Amino acid sequence: MTEVKLQHILQIDCQQGAVRAVRFNGDGNYCLTCGSDKSLKLWNPNRQLLLKSYMGHGYEVLDAQASFDNSQLVSGGADKTIIVWDVATAQVLRRYRGHAGTVNCVCFGGESTVIFSGSVDNTVMLWDCRSKSREPIQVLSEAKDGVSSIDISDHEILTGSIDGQVRLYDVRKGQLTEDFLGSPIACVRFTKDKQCLLCSCLDSTLRLMDKSSGELLSEYVGHKNKDYKVDNCLSAKDTQVLSGSEEGFVHRWDLVEVCHISHWNILGLYTGRNYKAEYLLVSNPYSMQ
């Protein structure tokens, strides 16, 4: 096992209340921060420079993502809306209202022509960015409790729910596969090779599952995650698992050997995704690191 040493590079005071999520853009050169003050901000983290602020949500912003070509952003939040933004002008291009509750997660699909949104109203909604219609093109309503997390591959939709179910929708085959993990799910991710699923559960356990068979391959413990949504991710080569902790640490495990490698105190929750092997983003209640 090769030890990868990580060091604290910088910290930015985002000045937007609690930072609910941090996301790299498509090429990893910029990042987005979602604030409890209803704002979405775009940063150049290397220069610690605020590039643009996006105001339009009525309540705190909980998730955001950049489009494939970095020309648009999508965000969702506690005001039950999904907003599509023009990156350069910060103008609202589209505003979707369809969910009956807080929007927990949003992401672009395909070539950023479809938006996926998950909500506490137990649904995942799909929105066509090219259409003038403000109605969802499809509603996935299989969840029995709030949808906490969504991840997308070429032809698959992966969702995690508070009902403890991981759901995998195969669009090409028209199939739905469900696996019950026995505890509410905070975050789900495809591995980089798309062969496995990494799931964070509110019993302080990360579970690695085989996508095809549903077999439980590994469990990773040592962090605390019982009450809040805490993200996970994998390193660029699928060699390491990373997760936040409610105690204010980022934890790291070797994926194959299932051993706990290290943890760092950041006084907050891990809410970013790694884009390259050398970088990851974390947020504490008021700043980005």
Side-chain angles (χ1 to χ4, degrees):
M1 178 182 64
T2 302
E3 173 69 17
V4 178
K5 295 184 179 180
L6 298 181
Q7 62 181 358
H8 186 274
I9 299 175
L10 58 87
Q11 179 170 321
I12 299 174
D13 182 1
C14 299
Q15 298 185 4
Q16 54 187 148
V19 181
R20 298 304 189 192
V22 187
R23 303 286 185 247
F24 279 111
N25 74 324
D27 57 21
N29 292 318
Y30 304 97
C31 66
L32 300 164
T33 57
C34 304
S36 63
D37 67 345
K38 313 174 190 177
S39 71
L40 174 67
K41 293 186 177 182
L42 177 66
W43 302 83
N44 181 327
N46 295 314
R47 298 174 60 189
Q48 303 184 43
L49 179 65
L50 174 62
L51 302 176
K52 192 76 71 173
S53 294
Y54 305 83
M55 299 296 297
H57 279 283
Y59 291 95
E60 59 184 358
V61 184
L62 298 179
D63 198 12
Q65 192 180 70
S67 64
F68 174 76
D69 59 1
N70 294 318
S71 66
Q72 297 179 357
L73 307 175
V74 62
S75 60
D79 59 358
K80 310 176 188 178
T81 65
I82 300 100
I83 299 179
V84 181
W85 308 85
D86 181 87
V87 170
T89 66
Q91 295 297 307
V92 175
L93 300 178
R94 295 175 183 82
R95 189 188 300 268
Y96 299 111
R97 296 184 177 92
H99 285 292
T102 295
V103 178
N104 286 325
C105 45
V106 292
C107 64
F108 283 105
E111 296 183 353
S112 302
T113 57
V114 178
I115 291 170
F116 299 81
S117 59
S119 169
V120 299
D121 66 3
N122 307 355
T123 66
V124 174
M125 293 188 178
L126 283 65
W127 313 85
D128 188 348
C129 299
R130 299 168 297 183
S131 172
K132 295 181 179 180
S133 172
R134 294 298 185 265
E135 297 298 318
I137 56 176
Q138 189 171 358
V139 178
L140 307 177
S141 55
E142 287 76 17
K144 304 301 187 294
D145 207 331
V147 177
S148 57
S149 182
I150 302 174
D151 201 11
I152 307 297
S153 73
D154 292 337
H155 61 279
E156 294 171 318
I157 306 167
L158 177 64
T159 70
S161 172
I162 304 302
D163 65 9
Q165 296 274 6
V166 176
R167 294 177 174 87
L168 182 65
Y169 299 84
D170 190 312
V171 177
R172 291 178 182 174
K173 298 179 180 178
Q175 293 181 350
L176 167 62
T177 303
E178 296 179 300
D179 287 292
F180 181 62
L181 299 189
S183 182
I185 297 168
C187 181
V188 291
R189 294 282 180 262
F190 287 105
T191 54
K192 299 296 188 298
D193 62 9
K194 308 301 182 185
Q195 299 304 306
C196 298
L197 314 175
L198 181 63
C199 309
S200 293
C201 300
L202 295 186
D203 59 357
S204 300
T205 304
L206 287 95
R207 293 175 170 87
L208 183 69
M209 303 170 58
D210 183 89
K211 185 183 73 174
S212 299
S213 66
E215 178 186 358
L216 178 63
L217 301 176
S218 301
E219 291 185 337
Y220 307 90
V221 297
H223 64 302
K224 181 181 179 181
N225 187 195
K226 293 183 178 294
D227 299 303
Y228 300 101
K229 175 178 167 59
V230 178
D231 281 0
N232 66 54
C233 70
L234 293 110
S235 59
K237 296 182 179 180
D238 278 343
T239 58
Q240 296 183 359
V241 174
L242 297 103
S243 174
S245 172
E246 293 169 11
E247 298 171 313
F249 292 87
V250 174
H251 291 257
R252 184 165 55 131
W253 298 264
D254 183 271
L255 181 125
V256 176
E257 297 183 12
V258 200
C259 60
H260 189 271
I261 300 174
S262 59
H263 65 274
W264 312 275
N265 187 356
I266 62 165
L267 301 177
L269 301 182
Y270 172 76
T271 55
R273 296 184 189 180
N274 68 321
Y275 179 77
K276 299 178 181 178
E278 296 85 359
Y279 300 99
L280 58 86
L281 288 177
V282 297
S283 73
N284 67 21
Y286 301 102
S287 66
M288 171 180 63
Q289 303 180 50

